[in-house]
Amino acid sequence: MTADQISRDVLRMLPGIIEVLSRSGRREGALASVVDLILDATGADACFLHRWDADERRLRMIAASHPYDALVGRIELAEGEGVAGWVAKHRLPVVIARDKWSDPRYKYIPELGGDRYTSMVSLPAASGRGRLMGVLNLHTVDEREFSGDDLEFLTATAALVGAHLEAEELIEATLAKEAELEALVQSTLAAQEMERRRVATEIHDGVTQLVVAALYRLRAAQALVGTEHDAAGELKTAIRLLEDAEQESRRAIRRLRPPVLDDLGLVAALRELAQEASETLEVEVRAPRRLDLDATVELVLYRVAQEALRNVAKHAQADRVAISLDVDEDEVRMAVVDDGRGFDVAEAFAVREGASYGMAGMRERVEMVGGTFRVASEPGKGARIDVRIPR
Ligand SMILES: Nc1ncnc2c1ncn2[C@@H]1O[C@H](COP(=O)(O)OP(=O)(O)O)[C@@H](O)[C@H]1O
Ligand SMILES: [Mg+2]
């Protein structure tokens, strides 16, 4: 066999590698096949492929020829550790034809059977844009000078593997994004569902009760008309109940979609909430004159303030509550602080089946626009809600 022939034979294997790597689907399978193809093409005896984790700066073995395939996922090397670690650090190929034991870069890893092999080559596998994606190692039992052809083939293969690993990474990132979006949709739906339940409860406890009571009075009045009983008194009561019902339903509608936000902006809307709550509490609103926030962020802050005030009124037995807003180039911050009896925060966040969703709902709304939601409270020491939303 002439050198020329070897070269052609070896390079003829490249399309096979390209084919295996471009097959989508069974992805781990693809790399295992590539490792086998590399052994076929080069006549080497063992082949390892490590993926470079750029965040942790470590190599992890992701494919190996038999019998080392059983160790996939279990071998890790730090940057600079062993020949592969050296290659990852310096991004240069290394060929060690003989006497690897005296090479300071070599590290004996008993599981990988280094004592069975004599010569080795280790190459960086980079992405098309030159980012290190992995390291490819090849070992031979007999001593071997790796030829120019071998290296040409291995360099091309390493480039293909690098491109493949990058594609895999992109696919994984895309899938993760997709899952994140899916989760967001789910939580939006859950929040919507809870909001519907809240509205249903509100209408049931508010307007419906009043209407039922008014009907009762009206029926009584109807029966009394023409008798000497006080029909006028019953009618008067019924009218008052229906007036309350009208107000109650207007209030419920306003809570569903606060037109005040669009008409007057967040600060005025918060003052209106404060006004509503001030029947039982002293409410203070501190805010800059102009805010200039995104409409969605305004709505989130409004809803959080609304629920927070509702909670203070309902649970806190507080005398005072303060809502403060402030804004800079990076973020908007809102705090709602009361001086009530406080509570156990972890317990309040637990969404119990069929129970209230107030706390979890506030947090969800804030996180949906990329913000953070914190609650601090201790029994007897009031409560404080802090919202930060990036602009
Ligand atoms: N400002 C507060 N002061 C005291 N307790 C509070 C306060 N906010 C929330 N809580 C407690 O946290 C619990 C959960 O609140 P939430 O999820 O809004 O449900 P709900 O208001 O329907 O009970 C409340 O039941 C209450 O015990
Ligand atoms: Mg609540």
Side-chain angles (χ1 to χ4, degrees):
M1 220 190 270
T2 66
D4 205 32
Q5 247 176 327
I6 296 170
S7 167
R8 268 187 274 115
D9 282 349
V10 164
L11 293 177
R12 241 196 8 240
M13 303 296 284
L14 270 182
I17 288 175
I18 292 172
E19 208 246 297
V20 167
L21 285 179
S22 58
R23 234 184 274 148
S24 54
R26 309 166 14 247
R27 289 186 287 145
E28 292 85 23
L31 292 172
S33 309
V34 165
V35 160
D36 292 339
L37 284 171
I38 292 172
L39 288 191
D40 275 357
T42 57
D45 302 298
C47 179
F48 305 110
L49 176 62
H50 305 275
R51 184 202 292 277
W52 174 240
D53 182 332
D55 294 329
E56 295 188 19
R57 307 200 73 76
R58 288 181 82 75
L59 290 169
R60 293 203 174 81
M61 193 166 88
I62 52 169
S65 52
H66 191 71
Y68 309 105
D69 46 350
L71 296 171
V72 164
R74 289 201 262 150
I75 302 285
E76 289 193 16
L77 290 167
E79 183 175 33
E81 184 182 0
V83 178
W86 189 95
V87 169
K89 186 168 181 184
H90 299 275
R91 323 258 150 136
L92 293 169
V94 169
V95 179
I96 304 176
R98 65 191 66 82
D99 203 13
K100 67 183 178 192
W101 303 97
S102 62
D103 192 308
R105 295 168 297 193
Y106 183 74
K107 181 186 179 203
Y108 175 58
I109 300 172
E111 299 97 298
L112 298 183
D115 36 2
R116 256 172 272 165
Y117 306 103
T118 310
S119 308
M120 69 173 293
V121 53
S122 183
L123 297 105
S127 75
R129 285 173 284 170
R131 209 148 59 82
L132 180 70
M133 302 304 302
V135 173
L136 187 63
N137 273 21
L138 225 61
H139 300 263
T140 59
V141 171
D142 296 333
E143 185 175 313
R144 170 157 169 185
E145 304 281 348
F146 287 91
S147 66
D149 288 336
D150 286 332
L151 293 178
E152 200 178 322
F153 168 77
L154 288 172
T155 305
T157 302
L160 289 171
V161 167
H164 178 82
L165 291 179
E166 184 182 44
E168 249 185 32
E169 197 181 85
L170 292 174
I171 289 169
E172 259 150 43
T174 310
L175 290 177
K177 260 263 132 46
E178 225 167 71
E180 213 172 89
L181 272 179
E182 175 68 15
L184 196 62
V185 168
Q186 287 307 325
S187 64
T188 310
L189 291 178
Q192 251 176 24
E193 191 49 39
M194 290 296 180
E195 187 68 8
R196 286 202 188 113
R197 264 188 241 170
R198 186 186 69 68
V199 171
T201 310
E202 206 156 273
I203 291 174
H204 174 267
D205 296 351
V207 182
T208 310
Q209 297 306 319
L210 293 167
V211 169
V212 165
L215 276 174
Y216 179 81
R217 298 298 171 132
L218 281 174
R219 290 205 185 97
Q222 187 182 41
L224 293 175
V225 170
T227 73
E228 66 274 27
H229 284 86
D230 182 14
E234 292 295 344
L235 284 172
K236 203 168 143 199
T237 310
I239 286 167
R240 188 176 47 72
L241 287 167
L242 286 174
E243 279 167 356
D244 286 354
E246 187 197 3
Q247 272 202 1
E248 182 69 25
S249 56
R250 285 189 199 286
R251 203 175 301 152
I253 289 164
R254 212 163 49 228
R255 283 186 196 143
L256 267 181
R257 199 187 70 82
V260 59
L261 264 187
D262 299 328
D263 297 344
L264 302 173
L266 179 64
V267 177
L270 291 181
R271 290 200 197 284
E272 199 180 275
L273 283 180
Q275 181 65 36
E276 274 174 35
S278 66
E279 283 171 23
T280 51
L281 272 166
E282 197 178 316
V283 191
E284 189 190 351
V285 178
R286 273 178 306 221
R289 201 160 287 167
R290 277 184 55 79
L291 277 171
D292 203 19
L293 297 172
D294 188 270
T296 317
V297 171
E298 283 200 332
L299 186 60
V300 168
L301 291 172
Y302 179 81
R303 290 299 185 208
V304 170
Q306 188 176 37
E307 173 61 18
L309 280 180
R310 222 168 1 220
N311 278 350
V312 174
K314 206 155 108 188
H315 309 294
Q317 295 164 3
D319 298 321
R320 295 169 45 83
V321 55
I323 306 175
S324 54
L325 265 177
D326 82 279
V327 67
D328 62 27
E329 275 158 40
D330 302 323
E331 60 178 14
V332 52
R333 290 176 291 274
M334 182 172 80
V336 182
V337 184
D338 73 65
D339 65 353
R341 66 194 174 105
F343 63 105
D344 181 331
V345 174
E347 195 176 300
F349 267 111
V351 181
R352 295 133 294 173
E353 188 55 39
S356 173
Y357 189 63
M359 282 290 170
M362 284 193 275
R363 182 173 57 189
E364 204 141 85
R365 283 181 198 278
V366 171
E367 288 177 355
M368 237 181 259
V369 290
T372 56
F373 178 81
R374 302 226 184 294
V375 185
S377 182
E378 266 178 61
K381 297 204 174 150
R384 174 182 182 101
I385 286 177
D386 279 291
V387 176
R388 316 173 79 122
I389 300 175
R391 309 188 67 198

